[in-house]
Amino acid sequence: MTCTIIQATEEHVPVVTSLATKTFADTFGSDNPVEELEVFLKETYTHELQLKEINDPAMRTYIAYDGDNPVGFCQLREKKDVYDFVGDPNAIELQRIYVDKDCGRKGYGSKLMEHAVQKSKKLGKKTMWVGVWELNPKAIQFYEKHGFRTVGSHIFKVGEQGGH
């Protein structure tokens, strides 16, 4: 495996949009009604929104490549309002980390996580937090393997479905 990770710029918006849409649908598609998933994807992973996030100074988007093939991405987000249960008001959020299902179990997720941790430390962050659906045991196991632990919960909705 050759894994190169770059910080996304405006020219990478189509790559991030495509990866985000595909990986979210692959991960949560079977748990949500098709119509609600489609609406969520169209509202959340638009070209315009990805461009806005890439240009947002409080966000950093990184793309993992195997050669010329984009295989995953992660996003770090600095927020003014961090959930109290995180325990560090200066914490950074690992907002998204996804790897193409065809490239899973090859270490790309771990490489992205290591990169995110390294970048967070360079920003002076001592705490990183992530929201994960409690019914996604693979993700929970991945985060625990990388030192995360459960400290609280919050709601994330896709359409009328709650708890994602």
Side-chain angles (χ1 to χ4, degrees):
M1 168 187 74
T2 304
C3 184
T4 305
I5 299 175
I6 63 153
Q7 184 165 353
T9 63
E10 288 185 6
E11 72 184 67
H12 300 105
V13 169
V15 173
V16 174
T17 302
S18 176
L19 267 174
T21 301
K22 181 181 185 324
T23 56
F24 191 92
D26 288 347
T27 303
F28 300 110
S30 63
D31 298 309
N32 292 279
V34 173
E35 303 79 25
E36 290 182 9
L37 181 67
E38 287 177 0
V39 169
F40 178 84
L41 293 172
K42 285 179 182 174
E43 291 175 352
T44 306
Y45 297 120
T46 65
H47 179 93
E48 295 76 19
L49 186 54
Q50 296 312 302
L51 177 63
K52 181 180 175 184
E53 288 181 351
I54 284 172
N55 286 324
D56 183 342
M59 290 194 70
R60 286 149 190 85
T61 302
Y62 301 99
I63 306 169
Y65 285 88
D66 183 354
D68 293 333
N69 184 37
V71 295
F73 76 105
C74 68
Q75 292 178 307
L76 294 172
R77 179 170 64 169
E78 295 181 84
K79 294 174 66 175
K80 290 184 171 89
D81 298 318
V82 176
Y83 293 107
D84 290 339
F85 59 73
V86 172
D88 179 354
N90 197 33
I92 194 163
E93 177 185 12
L94 177 61
Q95 183 181 9
R96 297 182 182 116
I97 182 167
Y98 289 105
V99 173
D100 187 308
K101 72 176 181 172
D102 297 329
C103 301
R105 314 283 307 159
K106 295 181 181 175
Y108 297 113
S110 290
K111 292 285 187 190
L112 280 165
M113 180 63 79
E114 291 165 11
H115 191 80
V117 168
Q118 176 190 40
K119 292 298 182 181
S120 296
K121 287 180 180 177
K122 283 187 178 181
L123 292 169
K125 302 298 180 179
K126 295 179 179 165
T127 305
M128 180 188 296
W129 71 277
V130 61
V132 60
W133 186 32
E134 67 271 13
L135 297 179
N136 189 347
K138 285 185 192 176
I140 293 168
Q141 182 180 26
F142 173 80
Y143 295 127
E144 287 175 345
K145 175 180 147 188
H146 289 281
F148 287 82
R149 60 185 172 78
T150 302
V151 296
S153 66
H154 67 97
I155 300 295
F156 179 81
K157 291 181 82 169
V158 175
E160 297 302 313
Q161 302 296 316
H164 294 287

